[in-house]
Amino acid sequence: MAHDSLIPLSVPHLGGNEWTYLKDCLDTGWVSSVGSYVDKFEKDLAEFTGARHGVATASGTAALHLALLVAGVKPGDLVITPSLTFIAPVNTIRYTGATPVFIDSEAAYTQMDPAQLSAFLDSECEAGPDGLRHKPTQRRVAAIMTVHLLGHPVAMEEICSLAQKYGLVVIEDATESLGARYKGAPLGQQSLLACFSFNGNKIITTGGGGMIQTHDASLAAKARYLATQAKDDPLEYIHHEVGFNYRMTNVQAALGCAQLEQLPQFIERRRAIAARYQQELQGIAGLRVVGEAPWAKSTYWLSTIVCEDSPFTETRQLMHFLQEHKIQSRPLWQPVHLSPAHKDNHVGGPCPVAERLYATALNLPSSSMLSETDLTRVITAVREFFKRP
Ligand SMILES: *Cc1c(COP(=O)(O)O)cnc(C)c1O
């Protein structure tokens, strides 16, 4: 074992035209926040997902923040989001001065549960003069920020029909799930605004970066304006609003263009890895490998197992056991209603399913670079753990 190298959870896979496109940026001097690669990356990604407009940003977090702003979220509003998520979307809700409403997850695919969303809207909200109001706080409910977790889509139709019924805007945090499909369609099609991330651990990377997509030209223009310090006059430097420096650089976009060319292969490889986990771990008593819903095509950005009958400690023991075998694994995120950063400023909950998944689920190595030999090492180690007396 000692000679084995570390098997990481997920690492950048730079196997295409990255060098060529980066060199082009350096050779031409176009390295900063405008350039042909930015335009091309926006256009190519919009083509890939079927969106009309794309606005490249400095990060996925910046994309989410801008999406909330252009969707009209105001200080004092409430924005609905799952408790089980990486913290970024919740942080962006707080940046706007709004307060998050946490909805619990469903256990099968670990996504926000439309039944819980429906229950919240139905029992805790009422129609107000300027839209939906949360009865206990009398705050306006402004939007739903859904998060497609781990490469798997949420139940979009259910969520969108609830949004329509209650007059709410939907923003998709698709940062973990670029390339996933909902009922055959790429993510980002059914909402007002969808956001993507190209951080180093995502399925494609620009080092760091993000994208907002929308069918609405005026929202795209507004997002671009806010991302560019809300500059109204390029010569006189007149600004009518408080803007941000949230643009993507040409260097980042050059990487993005090269990465996007490889995305279909990356998805295929991650799906093949997930299929082996399904096949070779499914028989273990008490262990469940998270699959995909009949209506979903997951990218399996991160393959997930759930130690169904295990207490928190046993799941952590498995994580440490894998670590001893130089295999990286990771629990899902602490549900955000428990996070010290947000626990005193939110609405909603309890979220028992999210808490249970936090205690029992682990992500396994899922890199598109993962070799069959290393994949076998992971599978063997997990099996060995469950064979212990
Ligand atoms: C990665 C991620 C983000 C943020 O993306 P960055 O590009 O790292 O800012 C937002 N939401 C979720 C769910 C993520 O996993």
Side-chain angles (χ1 to χ4, degrees):
M1 273 301 155
H3 60 279
D4 284 336
S5 57
L6 176 79
I7 303 177
L9 201 64
S10 182
V11 289
H13 189 163
L14 305 163
N17 287 317
E18 288 86 353
W19 264 118
T20 314
Y21 296 168
L22 279 178
K23 186 169 183 308
D24 187 33
C25 292
L26 298 175
D27 288 345
T28 58
W30 287 95
V31 294
S32 197
S33 48
V34 285
S36 60
Y37 285 107
V38 177
D39 300 341
K40 180 171 160 54
F41 189 44
E42 288 176 344
K43 200 172 121 291
D44 288 357
L45 197 81
E47 213 160 275
F48 182 85
T49 61
R52 284 203 200 101
H53 308 280
V55 179
T57 57
S59 69
T61 306
L64 291 169
H65 185 195
L66 290 177
L68 288 166
L69 292 174
V70 302
V73 173
K74 297 274 184 304
D77 284 348
L78 297 180
V79 177
I80 297 169
T81 200
S83 178
L84 188 68
T85 172
F86 177 57
I87 202 166
V90 184
N91 286 342
T92 63
I93 291 167
R94 294 284 299 280
Y95 298 166
T96 66
T99 295
V101 178
F102 293 125
I103 302 294
D104 204 3
S105 311
E106 41 78 22
Y109 309 109
T110 76
Q111 311 293 323
M112 184 165 78
D113 186 349
Q116 295 295 323
L117 173 63
S118 175
F120 172 80
L121 294 169
D122 196 47
S123 65
E124 291 200 43
C125 301
E126 64 189 1
D130 55 349
L132 195 69
R133 290 212 156 249
H134 179 235
K135 282 189 272 187
T137 60
Q138 281 303 299
R139 295 209 199 180
R140 184 177 82 112
V141 184
I144 301 171
M145 183 177 274
T146 63
V147 188
H148 305 285
L149 292 172
L150 302 165
H152 192 287
V154 301
M156 271 313 273
E157 266 171 26
E158 285 83 347
I159 288 169
C160 289
S161 74
L162 285 168
Q164 200 165 17
K165 179 174 166 194
Y166 290 93
L168 298 172
V169 157
V170 177
I171 298 168
E172 286 172 85
D173 178 340
T175 51
E176 298 188 359
S177 301
L178 172 63
R181 285 172 179 266
Y182 176 81
K183 297 195 174 171
L187 294 188
Q189 292 305 295
Q190 283 167 291
S191 60
L192 188 64
L193 295 140
C195 299
F196 299 91
S197 164
F198 316 106
N199 188 24
N201 68 349
K202 297 293 181 347
I203 196 160
I204 63 169
T205 185
T206 59
M211 185 80 73
I212 303 174
Q213 289 189 338
T214 177
H215 293 318
D216 185 321
S218 67
L219 289 179
K222 184 77 200 273
R224 194 180 298 284
Y225 169 73
L226 287 176
T228 319
Q229 304 282 24
K231 189 157 67 182
D232 289 291
D233 185 310
L235 284 179
E236 302 287 344
Y237 286 91
I238 310 293
H239 309 259
H240 287 98
E241 278 187 59
V242 178
F244 304 87
N245 180 5
Y246 273 177
R247 285 176 300 175
M248 179 182 277
T249 67
N250 205 44
V251 170
Q252 290 168 306
L255 273 178
C257 290
Q259 287 271 288
L260 189 55
E261 293 167 354
Q262 303 161 77
L263 179 55
Q265 295 143 247
F266 292 172
I267 295 170
E268 215 171 290
R269 179 65 192 141
R270 288 197 194 238
R271 287 181 61 82
I273 291 166
R276 269 199 75 192
Y277 284 139
Q278 284 286 353
Q279 269 165 20
E280 298 182 45
L281 296 176
Q282 200 59 279
I284 298 173
L287 185 84
R288 173 166 72 92
V289 183
V290 176
E292 65 191 349
W295 40 263
K297 185 176 178 191
S298 175
T299 65
Y300 289 99
W301 169 56
L302 292 180
S303 276
T304 310
I305 55 171
V306 183
C307 308
E308 298 272 38
D309 312 319
S310 307
F312 182 88
T313 46
E314 202 188 5
T315 313
R316 271 27 180 200
Q317 276 166 17
L318 170 57
M319 183 171 76
H320 291 125
F321 181 84
L322 293 174
Q323 208 164 35
E324 280 161 23
H325 289 73
K326 292 189 154 185
I327 295 164
Q328 197 186 9
S329 67
R330 198 176 65 188
L332 300 185
W333 319 267
Q334 180 187 47
V336 194
H337 70 283
L338 302 176
S339 163
H342 297 287
K343 70 178 166 44
D344 298 327
N345 193 336
H346 75 265
V347 167
C351 301
V353 178
E355 289 182 26
R356 181 88 195 129
L357 285 167
Y358 175 53
T360 56
L362 285 181
N363 293 137
L364 293 181
S366 307
S367 280
S368 42
M369 303 240 276
L370 187 66
S371 68
E372 290 298 319
T373 317
D374 282 353
L375 184 51
T376 304
R377 247 177 77 198
V378 180
I379 289 163
T380 308
V382 174
R383 282 181 165 167
E384 212 175 297
F385 177 83
F386 282 97
K387 262 193 235 137
R388 295 162 318 147

